[in-house]
Amino acid sequence: MTPVSDHLNKTLSKALIKSQADKSQQEIVIIHPEALLDVAKVLKEELGFDMLMDIAAVDWKDRRKERYEIVYLFYATQSNKRVTIKATLNNQNPSIASLINIYPAANWAEREAYDMMGYHFEGHPKLERLLMWDEFEGHPLRKDYPIDKRQPVPVLRELL
Amino acid sequence: MNQRSEISSDFFGDTVVTTRLEDVINWGRKNSLWPMPYGTACCAIEFMGTVSAAFDISRFGAELVRFSPRQSDLLLVMGTINYKQAPVLKKIYEQMCDPKWVVAVGACASSGGFYDNYSVLQGIDEVIPVDVYVPGCPPRPEQVLDAIYKLQSKIDPAAFVDGGPNANAR
């Protein structure tokens, strides 16, 4: 049972790299990163995946040639189905299109992925740090971030 | 003068003790510390035990816990302080009136503890002056009491004039 990849094969066959199922028979589809917006449109408008649950960023460092991976978790509230979309990003400039115009929930999730892993999201209206403070240098969840690196102590910003 | 002291000793007997003003004020200060708990982690749970009946911090005069920095003179930092919280802690400290003292309770407040990572301040003494450090993860209530005791012996000889005990720290 691979309904999402079957549908994508018909409509967007170029976007697909491969599809598999995890232990709970949930579908995982690996796509080309440049096809993300097309795939997301199909998922939302044709397959009923109306909810973006989460965005995860993975750094494989030495274990893969292309170390940066991004994982999107979608959910269909009507049919109670889930699908995982994965894409591998460029080593030098890990960049992918922003999903914010299709799924507004991508806003902070993409900012967090930028903050922690240094992924760039093209078309994001405010790609700034979400968790770390502005003076923070580097992206702490990258595997080559030095664990004992110290940062400047931030100054208090007025909230009002 | 001799005549006067004889009169007063006759009149008051042994109900009067003579001392220096500084000693009286320091005696009052060290035995009526008003702690402000800045609890961010499990050390604050130990502080609850320290305040409660089994250990009873009021035996040392520090039972009047205030939750406003403006009403307290002892800042008890109990728990992990991360970088983003550091300026908040500094502001809380600055809001306290002089004279004021700080105790870093537990490994995290003293040195960052085992959180040797990108987000955690490696000891609150990076942002505010600390008078007493308490080791432990978390420390026993007896250790918190011992910190109060050590702080009292630090307050005692300090002169309350010339800027107070924190004059050198600023």
Side-chain angles (χ1 to χ4, degrees), chain A residues 116 130-133 136 140-141 145 147 150-151 153-156 158, chain B residues 83-88 91 115-122 126-127:
Chain A
M116 291 290 156
L130 182 69
L131 299 170
M132 296 290 113
W133 58 104
F136 195 91
L141 291 195
Y145 183 90
I147 192 150
R150 298 286 164 245
Q151 299 277 350
V153 177
V155 291
L156 196 63
E158 293 298 323
Chain B
Y83 276 109
K84 281 186 85 173
Q85 205 171 40
V88 179
K91 186 153 192 172
Y115 297 105
D116 185 8
N117 61 24
Y118 64 91
S119 61
V120 174
L121 196 69
Q122 301 299 297
E126 285 188 40
V127 286

Side-chain angles (χ1 to χ4, degrees), chain B residues 27-35 60-63 73 152:
Chain B
W27 173 79
R29 272 180 182 162
K30 75 172 186 177
N31 291 306
S32 65
L33 290 164
W34 287 27
F60 305 91
E63 81 276 23
D73 55 5
Q152 287 177 338

Side-chain angles (χ1 to χ4, degrees), chain A residues 34-87:
Chain A
E34 55 269 24
L36 176 74
L37 284 181
D38 298 331
V39 171
K41 272 202 191 89
V42 170
L43 285 177
K44 188 171 190 182
E45 290 163 12
E46 297 174 25
L47 294 168
F49 289 97
D50 49 355
M51 193 167 169
L52 173 65
M53 300 294 293
D54 202 0
I55 300 177
V58 188
D59 181 2
W60 292 93
K61 201 166 176 255
D62 302 327
R63 294 165 69 187
R64 281 190 192 173
K65 209 172 150 196
E66 303 280 316
R67 57 186 281 195
Y68 297 119
E69 188 180 44
I70 189 156
V71 182
Y72 296 88
L73 306 173
F74 293 99
Y75 177 59
T77 52
Q78 295 298 309
S79 57
N80 193 24
K81 293 262 163 48
R82 290 168 197 275
V83 68
T84 303
I85 305 286
K86 291 183 180 178

Side-chain angles (χ1 to χ4, degrees), chain B residues 2 12 15 21 31 34 37 46 49 51-52 61-63 67 82 97 109-110 115 119 136 140 142 151 154 157 167:
Chain B
N2 268 341
F12 293 113
T15 59
L21 182 62
N31 291 306
W34 287 27
E46 292 299 308
V51 175
S52 304
E63 81 276 23
F67 293 94
N82 57 35
C97 295
S110 302
Y115 297 105
S119 61
R140 291 275 312 166
E142 292 96 322
L151 185 66
K154 186 177 178 178

Side-chain angles (χ1 to χ4, degrees), chain B residues 6 8 29 76 91 113 118 143:
Chain B
E6 273 168 28
S8 60
R29 272 180 182 162
L76 289 164
K91 186 153 192 172
Y118 64 91
Q143 289 174 269

